Amino acid sequence: MSKYNLDYLDELEAEAIYILREVAGQFEKPALLFSGGKDSITLVHLAQKAFRPGKFPFPLVHIDTGHNFQETIDYRDDMIKRIGEKLIVGYVQDDIDNGNVVEQKGKNASRNALQTVTLLNTIAKHQFDACIGGARRDEEKARAKERIFSVRDEFGQWDPKRQRPELWNIFNGKINKGENVRVFPISNWTELDVWNYIRRENIPLPTIYFAHQRDCITRNGQLMAASEFLNMDSEDVVENRNVRFRTVGDMTCTAAVESYAFEIDDIINEISASKISERGARMDDKVSEAAMEDRKKGGYF
């Protein structure tokens, strides 16, 4: 009898597709959280493999801070037209206008933390009982200890001590009324796995992932894209640098890395040699040692 062997990318893909189908089978109103970053784009590609030729059994949900990279918004809109799926957008600006959140002040002000309120309001409004996200365990230590099916209470909060066992890839989606589950199908992938999969599947990405010239300032030792959303002053010197972004988020908290990686193979070689996690370029993770875990406990993605 001949043996049927999968390579490691096939195994990761099969696991992710299995998890997506489990979500569709176990929950009444799931949603896929879409940021416009490479991980959520990979999830959309996996969802196409899981459910085509039918429609997705869930909408895509984007929480828009209003401070996004324009390349990300353009990609999102073009992708939705191409795949023909439903997109729901929650706007942080609406919560600011309604007095639900107060915009930060000062030089390092960011809307990133305000996303949590908008996300929870969007979940409540549409009564989502499961939200699929692209978080991976290799990104950050709080994410490293989170389960694939991560239960959140009626306030959207995560309690690390209430996590459920996930033996033999058996996932328990049973929840009480008002609770919801965050689901991470590519939790076991690494950044390098994602890029190798993107290369193999020829998945298009926003241009900011590739090296390009951009006006930047140096703030807190990080290269930040100069923009109207940064509270810049006379101390901020604008320089044109060759950069790319390893992770995509709010412009006020996402730093660039100096790079000449113009092609995917160049990016893979660059990541292979890097000793810093991609989250090392996120200013919001540097607020405290437990910044990510604190945000998750408050309802963050």
Side-chain angles (χ1 to χ4, degrees):
M1 181 181 293
S2 62
K3 290 185 178 180
Y4 179 61
N5 294 319
L6 299 175
D7 72 13
Y8 83 100
L9 287 178
D10 290 328
E11 291 180 1
L12 290 172
E13 178 189 73
E15 179 187 55
I17 289 173
Y18 164 70
I19 293 166
L20 286 168
R21 289 173 175 166
E22 280 291 298
V23 172
Q26 291 196 41
F27 297 97
E28 294 182 3
K29 293 196 72 175
L32 192 155
L33 301 177
F34 183 79
S35 67
K38 68 183 185 310
D39 299 312
S40 60
I41 291 169
T42 298
L43 281 179
V44 171
H45 183 80
L46 289 163
Q48 290 179 291
K49 289 200 168 191
F51 302 112
R52 288 295 189 247
K55 301 283 284 183
F56 291 179
F58 41 68
L60 276 62
V61 174
H62 182 214
I63 303 303
D64 188 345
T65 66
H67 291 174
N68 297 288
F69 290 92
Q70 188 58 46
E71 294 93 331
T72 304
I73 299 300
D74 292 343
Y75 180 94
R76 179 199 71 185
D77 295 342
D78 290 342
M79 185 198 73
I80 291 299
K81 290 178 184 177
R82 172 166 46 86
I83 67 174
E85 296 293 341
K86 181 179 180 181
L87 173 69
I88 295 171
V89 182
Y91 295 97
V92 171
Q93 186 63 53
D94 289 346
D95 281 310
I96 294 172
D97 294 342
N98 294 331
N100 298 327
V101 293
V102 177
E103 191 152 21
Q104 295 178 359
K105 306 296 182 184
K107 188 169 183 175
N108 295 313
S110 172
R111 288 186 175 183
N112 190 63
L114 308 185
Q115 292 182 92
T116 298
V117 173
T118 306
L119 172 63
L120 295 179
N121 287 342
T122 303
I123 290 172
K125 178 180 178 180
H126 297 278
Q127 299 181 315
F128 294 132
D129 53 0
C131 292
I132 303 163
R136 307 187 323 271
R137 288 186 174 130
D138 75 314
E139 292 182 277
E140 198 273 341
K141 58 188 177 183
R143 288 180 167 174
K145 65 182 181 183
E146 190 167 15
R147 299 287 193 262
I148 290 174
F149 272 37
S150 179
V151 178
R152 306 298 174 96
D153 65 19
E154 60 270 28
F155 303 106
Q157 298 173 324
W158 176 56
D159 182 355
K161 296 180 180 179
R162 287 185 62 220
Q163 297 192 96
R164 298 169 176 176
E166 292 180 342
L167 306 176
W168 307 293
N169 276 359
I170 297 174
F171 303 109
N172 179 5
K174 184 176 177 58
I175 54 175
N176 297 317
K177 187 174 178 59
E179 296 179 332
N180 68 83
V181 176
R182 308 291 169 82
V183 180
F184 307 112
I186 61 171
S187 186
N188 291 328
W189 298 38
T190 66
E191 182 185 13
L192 203 55
D193 294 336
V194 172
W195 278 105
N196 279 322
Y197 187 74
I198 288 169
R199 177 174 62 179
R200 189 185 82 171
E201 300 292 310
N202 196 27
I203 302 173
L205 293 176
T207 56
I208 58 174
Y209 275 110
F210 301 91
H212 59 282
Q213 289 191 328
R214 184 180 290 264
D215 287 341
C216 299
I217 64 169
T218 301
R219 182 171 291 181
N220 301 321
Q222 302 273 13
L223 284 173
M224 305 293 293
S227 81
E228 60 184 308
F229 307 129
L230 290 181
N231 294 329
M232 297 167 57
D233 57 29
S234 57
E235 294 181 357
D236 294 313
V237 179
V238 178
E239 300 176 287
N240 191 263
R241 306 286 285 270
N242 231 73
V243 299
R244 73 176 193 89
F245 293 86
R246 287 178 70 182
T247 178
V248 173
D250 191 296
M251 288 189 76
T252 59
C253 67
T254 306
V257 293
E258 198 148 20
S259 174
Y260 291 89
F262 298 101
E263 305 291 340
I264 287 185
D265 286 344
D266 301 329
I267 291 173
I268 289 172
N269 291 335
E270 185 179 88
I271 294 169
S272 299
S274 177
K275 299 187 184 327
I276 300 173
S277 161
E278 64 190 292
R279 297 293 302 191
R282 290 295 290 267
M283 303 294 285
D284 48 332
D285 287 351
K286 300 180 184 298
V287 174
S288 70
E289 187 69 18
M292 174 63 80
E293 184 161 335
D294 290 341
R295 293 201 303 280
K296 279 183 171 289
K297 288 179 179 178
Y300 188 72
F301 300 103

